[in-house]
Amino acid sequence: MRNPPLAGAAMPEQSECLLLFGATGDLMRRMLLPSLYGLEADALLPGDLRIVCTARSPLDVMGYRALAETAIRSAVEAERLNPQTLDRLLARLTYEPLDASFPDRFGALAHAVGPIERGLSIFLSTAPSLFGQTIKGLTASGLSGAKTRLALEKPLGFDLPSSRLINDAAAQAFPESRTFRIDHYLGKETVQNLIALRFGNALFEPLWSASGIDHIQITVSETVGLEGRVDFYDGAGALRDMVQNHMLQLLSLVAMEPPAQFDAKEVRDEKVKVLRALRPLDRASAALHSVTGQYGAGAVAGVPVPSYEEELGHASATETFVALKVHVDNFRWKSVPFYLRTGKRLPTRQSEILIQFKDVRHSIFERRGAALKANKLVIRLQPDENIRLLMMAKQPGLDREGLRLREVPLDIGIANAFTDVRRRIAYERLLLDLIGGDPTLFVRRDEVEAQWDWVDRLRDAWVYNGVVPRLYPAGTWGPSAAIALTERDGVTWRD
Ligand code: BG6
């Protein structure tokens, strides 16, 4: 659901045109076109919204619509495909070929976009090297007016200085209030549910701090490998690709103070405070608190897969796995470790946040021989969405051989609780919020820069210490040093 406007707040205008750069690319085909289809099917796109697509390929409108149709047909399940919906969406699409590296060639694109008095939303999912020229072209052709919003897809740089260059280039034409930086994890329903769970229930907040919580684990594991993204991934690695953005965003949502309101300013103000409070992993601490790995040949779900270097075609020191022990140095999280782990070619695809509560202060059951386990809250973001609270309960019986207590789950299967609601692609939400002008689920410049600042220090420490990733067989949970990272503290990763 869209957020209703705050009482008395000015409602941003819905854009009358959506302009998509990178329109023949992978993101467009796999995510954006299927998302637009989902929104069209539910009549959520403004009735008169025009969608202008652009890329370098010399296609005409019909050629592009054919490409879009193929992409939608292969991404949307057959039972959701409706010919009228498809036709309605395709009819909105126009296409204008453009080499965006020439800012003086944007005239025809501006013509295809047409009137934008009621607002234009632009989505850039091109190579970042094109951002600067594209923004110049938009300005030169009159497409960066006062009612234009600009959404930027990652990678937004590869370190703090390069991210600043991109942000500065955007700021030349778009004030921060009209710059929408995408982190698609924020569009995921369960990620938003984290906010509902924390601040919509009286149950958790009193315990949500160092007084109630022992540690927190955040795992984002993937079974896929390089997926043909040779050029991009090898220059990035897991730290830049996953930790800098998605994992630090998850961490900031878990750790932030309650915002006064669920709105763009308040939520982002609280997130950035967490990011700034992250204790740097510097040259001295990085060796003990971080582990990097790269997958070798192995098997995932019983299927043999080649090593990273074999997929890449040459030797490489890029990490495909990272495990970190992180602290948020503030009042709430004093001495609570956050363990973060992400990697490719791991045994399962799962994104999960584990909140490990502290032991009860005193066990009254000890003399009766019953052991207690501390409560756990497991928030699973994908592949299935559920929230599970692990609690102690008495095993039924007459206790002749002593009292038995057992850990039992209290499950909230989101899919079961809301059976009538389709699970949406994260980009459906983000596209709709862009068109409607709600930046709450987009990343502000200060956040992105705080993320880079922290990540750059860690990278510097790795370079200084000559860290090379340790090999792990594909289909395992990373190098054994990642296990040692938590076991040293008496903590076991939840696999
Ligand atoms: C992207 C990364 O940002 O997120 C990819 O570049 C990664 O490497 C992907 O596979 C994971 O997203 P999701 O939504 O599948 O968890």
Side-chain angles (χ1 to χ4, degrees):
M1 280 298 287
R2 316 240 28 258
N3 300 328
L6 294 178
M11 177 68 166
E13 240 176 321
Q14 298 256 2
S15 295
E16 61 182 304
C17 182
L18 174 64
L19 170 57
L20 299 152
F21 283 81
T24 53
D26 185 58
L27 185 76
M28 185 75 183
R29 287 190 232 226
R30 283 194 308 116
M31 297 290 167
L32 302 184
L33 284 165
S35 296
L36 289 169
Y37 178 84
L39 296 174
E40 181 75 67
D42 295 338
L44 289 168
L45 294 175
D48 56 355
L49 180 80
R50 307 182 308 275
I51 304 177
V52 179
C53 304
T54 179
R56 221 186 292 223
S57 308
L59 295 169
D60 60 12
V61 175
M62 294 322 282
Y64 187 75
R65 287 182 182 165
L67 175 151
E69 180 171 349
T70 309
I72 292 168
R73 284 188 183 279
S74 67
V76 177
E77 311 86 70
E79 64 274 15
R80 282 186 47 230
L81 269 176
N82 170 305
Q84 283 89 38
T85 307
L86 190 56
D87 286 350
R88 266 203 317 279
L89 177 64
L90 295 178
R92 290 181 194 262
L93 302 182
T94 54
Y95 181 80
E96 185 60 41
L98 171 70
D99 181 346
S101 55
F102 295 97
D104 54 342
R105 295 191 188 163
F106 278 54
L109 182 67
H111 185 72
V113 166
I116 51 169
E117 286 79 38
R118 287 192 294 114
L120 168 66
S121 286
I122 302 174
F123 191 113
L124 282 194
S125 63
T126 46
S129 55
L130 281 178
F131 283 178
Q133 294 300 83
T134 306
I135 289 160
K136 278 192 194 143
L138 291 169
T139 312
S141 60
L143 287 175
S144 63
K147 289 191 178 170
T148 303
R149 302 181 192 114
L150 179 70
L152 298 167
E153 180 55 82
K154 68 174 277 233
L156 293 179
F158 54 89
D159 58 7
L160 181 58
S162 57
S163 120
R164 281 197 172 133
L165 285 180
I166 292 172
N167 285 325
D168 286 344
Q172 296 281 313
F174 298 91
E176 184 59 33
S177 59
R178 289 192 278 114
T179 305
F180 287 55
R181 290 177 201 80
I182 290 170
D183 183 316
H184 79 278
Y185 267 54
L186 297 180
K188 290 182 190 271
E189 196 63 51
T190 22
V191 174
Q192 295 156 43
N193 220 338
L194 201 59
I195 304 180
L197 183 80
R198 283 197 59 196
F199 305 119
N201 295 291
L203 214 57
F204 299 116
E205 183 53 24
L207 287 176
W208 208 267
S209 69
S211 32
I213 292 176
D214 179 79
H215 73 268
I216 290 174
Q217 298 181 19
I218 305 179
T219 294
V220 178
S221 65
E222 298 184 278
T223 52
V224 293
L226 199 49
E227 290 185 297
R229 296 156 84 211
V230 177
D231 293 341
F232 164 72
Y233 194 87
D234 200 50
L239 182 67
R240 291 185 179 115
D241 185 42
M242 295 296 285
V243 178
Q244 183 273 337
N245 38 52
H246 311 321
M247 298 204 68
L248 291 186
Q249 281 292 321
L250 291 179
L251 187 153
S252 64
L253 290 171
V254 171
M256 72 180 179
E257 296 300 314
Q261 294 294 334
F262 185 39
D263 73 20
K265 178 174 184 313
E266 302 291 338
V267 171
R268 299 188 298 177
D269 281 353
E270 295 308 335
K271 282 195 293 165
V272 79
K273 284 186 211 160
V274 172
L275 296 167
R276 290 193 185 128
L278 287 176
R279 187 184 302 169
L281 285 180
D282 55 21
R283 292 175 177 189
S285 58
L288 203 57
H289 291 173
S290 69
V291 172
T292 61
Q294 186 189 87
Y295 62 85
V300 178
V303 180
V305 292
S307 69
Y308 176 75
E309 291 190 342
E310 280 171 287
E311 281 187 45
L312 195 62
H314 57 80
S316 164
T318 296
E319 80 286 353
T320 60
F321 175 95
V322 192
L324 305 170
K325 177 178 170 183
V326 177
H327 282 95
V328 178
D329 280 333
N330 66 13
F331 215 91
R332 183 185 286 260
W333 297 112
K334 173 85 184 156
S335 304
V336 178
F338 287 69
Y339 300 101
L340 272 47
R341 170 176 70 155
T342 185
K344 301 227 180 255
R345 291 281 193 233
L346 300 187
T348 55
R349 174 174 186 251
Q350 79 191 47
S351 301
E352 220 175 63
I353 300 169
L354 165 77
I355 313 290
Q356 174 67 64
F357 290 98
K358 288 194 163 161
D359 289 324
V360 290
R361 282 192 204 145
H362 164 72
S363 170
I364 63 166
F365 307 106
E366 214 170 277
R367 290 200 202 152
R368 297 234 183 190
L372 287 179
K373 281 190 180 171
N375 298 134
K376 291 184 182 71
L377 178 69
V378 183
I379 304 162
R380 182 179 265 245
L381 311 175
Q382 54 191 30
D384 45 330
E385 306 178 341
N386 61 54
I387 298 168
R388 165 174 281 205
L389 188 56
L390 292 162
M391 309 182 52
M392 295 311 290
K394 181 181 170 300
Q395 196 165 310
L398 300 177
D399 308 332
R400 296 299 88 191
E401 272 137 37
L403 182 69
R404 292 276 172 271
L405 298 178
R406 217 173 66 198
E407 201 175 43
V408 288
L410 196 66
D411 273 329
I412 312 172
I414 302 289
N416 299 338
F418 302 99
T419 40
D420 51 335
V421 183
R422 172 174 70 82
R423 285 182 59 195
R424 293 184 181 278
I425 307 170
Y427 286 95
E428 291 184 52
R429 172 67 190 243
L430 298 177
L431 282 169
L432 205 57
D433 284 359
L434 169 67
I435 295 165
D438 181 351
T440 311
L441 299 177
F442 294 83
V443 185
R444 213 166 55 187
R445 177 170 184 161
D446 50 1
E447 289 178 81
V448 109
E449 294 192 352
Q451 291 169 185
W452 275 123
D453 184 40
W454 189 83
V455 158
D456 283 358
R457 289 193 210 203
L458 176 54
R459 280 215 91 83
D460 166 78
W462 287 348
V463 172
Y464 180 82
N465 293 327
V467 170
V468 270
R470 298 158 202 249
L471 217 58
Y472 61 95
T476 64
W477 284 103
S480 54
I483 298 167
L485 177 85
T486 58
E487 295 287 343
R488 235 181 271 134
D489 300 340
V491 169
T492 305
W493 289 108
R494 191 188 137 83
D495 292 340

